[in-house]
Amino acid sequence: MAGLIVSQGRDTGRCIYGGFSNSISLGRSPECDFQLHDPAVSRVHCHLQTIDGTTLLRDADSRWGTFVNGLQVEERMLAIGDRVLVGETELLVTHSDTEANRSTVFPLGRNHTATRTTNHVAKSQTASEDALRDDEQVLALLGNSYLNYELIRLIATSATGATFEALDTVSNQVVALKIFWPQLLIRPNERTRFVRAMKSAIEVNHPKVVRVLNAGRHRGTCFTASELVIGESVSALIGRIGICGMLDWRRVLRIGIDAAEALTAAHAHGLLHRNITPRNLLIRTQDDTVKLNDLVIAKAVNSTHGEKLTIAGELLGDLLYMSPEQLTSERPLDARSDIYSLGASLYAMLTGRPPLEGRNRNETMQWIEVEKPQPPTTHHLSVSPLFEGAVMRMLEKRPDDRHPSAAELLREFQRVAQYENVSV
């Protein structure tokens, strides 16, 4: 019997068991049978129903649409391994009785509470060393071993893989272990590019960059082991603040300074991030330090044929922070593309919304290319004019009109902090 596990988004780890003869609703409304805490999801986004042992998915005239394996659908019979995207939430269709589902399960029912019930999954006595064939087998590693890592809990999944909290039994260090989906990095030249990118990332040792400790290939999949940051992403912080999602501009400035320091270090090693979003900016709880995560991952998994990551069905959240040249230019990107993406992320922190968001994917891409975003003070009156000016410069369409480097951006942020008497 098929079920669904939330593999990406704020509800990661929550599950829906199969076997429901009556239609159940998924959406943002508390009245839905399965409420999703995702502002990009419609109040009632879609419906699920089991018919003759197969799960039927129907879109409920949602604003952004419902996607299955990258294609927008009105109605679709789901199969094991399908990926369903609603808003910025991704659900993986899996067996209801898999180990991955039993580890973190939420009961169905109206007005359920979002309290995780965790059951420790026993390790397999004889873990198979066969190559992992699909995403479901990667998720089923939870509670088992992968190389010298014991997988403790699922942190998140993305378009490229699953990230687990894991214990390195060699160093006795708890790390963030990312296992890439088996369908990625399967060609020899792709693996070579991955190894080259990871070697470059390992060389970056900076307090504002999440440190890559190890990388390699095991059971047919590539992996990275990085320092585990105890805290939350900026994306989670924005969602926790409230419906407006606006942060105090002084805190946003401090986040910008940390992120600019991280980019300065990365660019000094000749590395571009290529996918800066609020989800990739992590805030460490103990001291509020911001660390830049997933350095060079986008480059490492990017197709050798030059395919962009903005394919249909890709998480909308990534598209909203892409620079205009990422969408339109065939020329190599440079540091100014990262500066734009960081500016878009800072804008979202100040206003509770990305700089430009159309009614659909195509309109959003068009607006990013040609439309000028409204100044942050349109939504958040207390923002410093100096800081607003710096953020708006980061969002200029032409790379030549932005800050020429992350180092120059950092200096401007520091001047704003000094002038506005903001402690950093």
Side-chain angles (χ1 to χ4, degrees):
M1 186 73 67
L4 290 90
I5 180 172
V6 179
S7 55
Q8 173 69 39
R10 297 178 183 175
D11 297 281
T12 296
R14 293 179 54 204
C15 303
I16 306 174
Y17 283 131
F20 23 83
S21 56
N22 295 325
S23 177
I24 68 166
S25 55
L26 281 73
R28 198 176 72 249
S29 170
E31 296 302 313
C32 286
D33 296 293
F34 195 80
Q35 183 186 10
L36 292 167
H37 303 85
D38 177 356
V41 167
S42 297
R43 289 188 60 81
V44 179
H45 200 104
C46 60
H47 297 277
L48 293 170
Q49 185 175 6
T50 300
I51 301 175
D52 296 329
T54 305
T55 301
L56 173 66
L57 169 71
R58 291 195 307 272
D59 183 72
D61 196 25
S62 59
R63 179 187 178 192
W64 289 103
T66 300
F67 294 82
V68 177
N69 301 330
L71 299 176
Q72 188 169 359
V73 300
E74 295 295 329
E75 184 174 294
R76 174 76 171 263
M77 299 301 291
L78 298 177
I80 302 298
D82 282 347
R83 290 186 171 277
V84 178
L85 182 67
V86 293
E88 295 185 6
T89 297
E90 185 183 70
L91 301 98
L92 175 67
V93 182
T94 182
H95 291 290
S96 287
D97 58 351
T98 60
E99 293 290 307
N101 277 4
R102 284 204 296 271
S103 62
T104 52
V105 177
F106 285 84
L108 273 176
R110 296 185 188 276
N111 301 318
H112 66 273
T113 58
T115 303
R116 183 183 299 260
T117 56
T118 304
N119 302 316
H120 295 286
V121 182
K123 296 181 187 178
S124 301
Q125 293 182 345
T126 56
S128 171
E129 291 301 312
D130 293 338
L132 300 167
R133 296 186 302 274
D134 54 37
D135 301 0
E136 186 179 352
Q137 288 188 343
V138 171
L139 293 172
L141 288 171
L142 182 62
N144 293 282
S145 296
Y146 176 90
L147 204 59
N148 54 289
Y149 301 98
E150 295 181 356
L151 279 59
I152 301 169
R153 68 179 177 94
L154 177 67
I155 297 175
T157 70
S158 66
T160 54
T163 302
F164 300 88
E165 179 182 338
L167 174 65
D168 182 346
T169 57
V170 174
S171 65
N172 202 34
Q173 180 179 1
V174 178
V175 301
L177 178 71
K178 179 165 186 173
I179 302 176
F180 291 82
W181 301 128
Q183 66 269 24
L184 296 177
L185 305 166
I186 57 177
R187 301 172 184 171
N189 58 336
E190 293 172 341
R191 297 174 190 171
T192 299
R193 186 177 63 253
F194 172 80
V195 171
R196 185 168 59 245
M198 289 303 103
K199 283 182 177 179
S200 300
I202 288 173
E203 292 176 359
V204 181
N205 185 5
H206 189 275
K208 303 300 171 62
V209 177
V210 174
R211 182 81 188 275
V212 179
L213 304 170
N214 191 18
R217 186 172 176 84
H218 179 60
R219 296 186 63 181
T221 58
C222 291
F223 73 91
T224 61
S226 306
E227 69 168 301
L228 180 66
V229 178
I230 304 300
E232 64 180 342
S233 69
V234 167
S235 178
L237 177 65
I238 293 173
R240 185 165 56 81
I241 289 298
I243 190 168
C244 293
M246 296 184 291
L247 304 181
D248 182 90
W249 73 266
R250 298 166 188 84
R251 182 164 194 183
V252 178
L253 175 59
R254 295 186 187 101
I255 292 172
I257 288 174
D258 281 355
E261 287 184 23
L263 281 182
T264 299
H267 294 167
H269 283 79
L271 301 175
L272 300 182
H273 191 285
R274 299 168 182 263
N275 191 33
I276 299 173
T277 72
R279 200 170 57 246
N280 283 326
L281 295 169
L282 307 183
I283 306 172
R284 189 166 59 192
T285 300
Q286 69 181 49
D287 56 8
D288 253 8
T289 294
V290 174
K291 286 176 168 277
L292 181 63
N293 194 30
D294 275 354
L295 183 62
V296 309
I297 290 296
K299 175 64 173 177
V301 302
N302 197 21
S303 169
T304 53
H305 304 293
E307 296 169 353
K308 300 183 189 307
L309 294 178
T310 51
I311 58 175
E314 192 62 49
L315 289 182
L316 177 67
D318 293 340
L319 170 61
L320 294 170
Y321 301 96
M322 286 186 175
S323 67
E325 59 267 32
Q326 280 182 287
L327 303 179
T328 61
S329 177
E330 296 302 323
R331 294 177 299 176
L333 302 177
D334 61 28
R336 296 168 297 181
S337 178
D338 279 349
I339 288 173
Y340 179 96
S341 296
L342 176 57
S345 299
L346 298 177
Y347 185 101
M349 297 176 218
L350 291 171
T351 67
R353 66 199 72 194
L356 296 163
E357 182 177 10
R359 290 167 295 184
N360 53 50
R361 188 175 307 275
N362 290 335
E363 186 173 80
T364 297
M365 293 176 67
Q366 182 181 6
W367 284 10
I368 291 173
E369 293 170 25
V370 301
E371 294 292 332
K372 186 178 180 66
Q374 294 180 320
T377 47
T378 304
H379 311 283
H380 194 168
L381 295 177
S382 67
V383 177
S384 157
L386 289 176
F387 186 41
E388 178 179 69
V391 172
M392 292 300 289
R393 183 182 176 188
M394 297 170 74
L395 295 174
E396 290 288 350
K397 303 300 180 190
R398 296 176 63 250
D400 289 344
D401 294 332
R402 300 175 205 146
H403 302 81
S405 67
E408 177 56 37
L409 173 65
L410 174 60
R411 285 190 288 270
E412 179 165 1
F413 281 169
Q414 290 170 335
R415 287 194 294 269
V416 173
Q418 183 177 15
Y419 182 84
E420 298 285 4
N421 197 27
V422 177
S423 60
V424 293

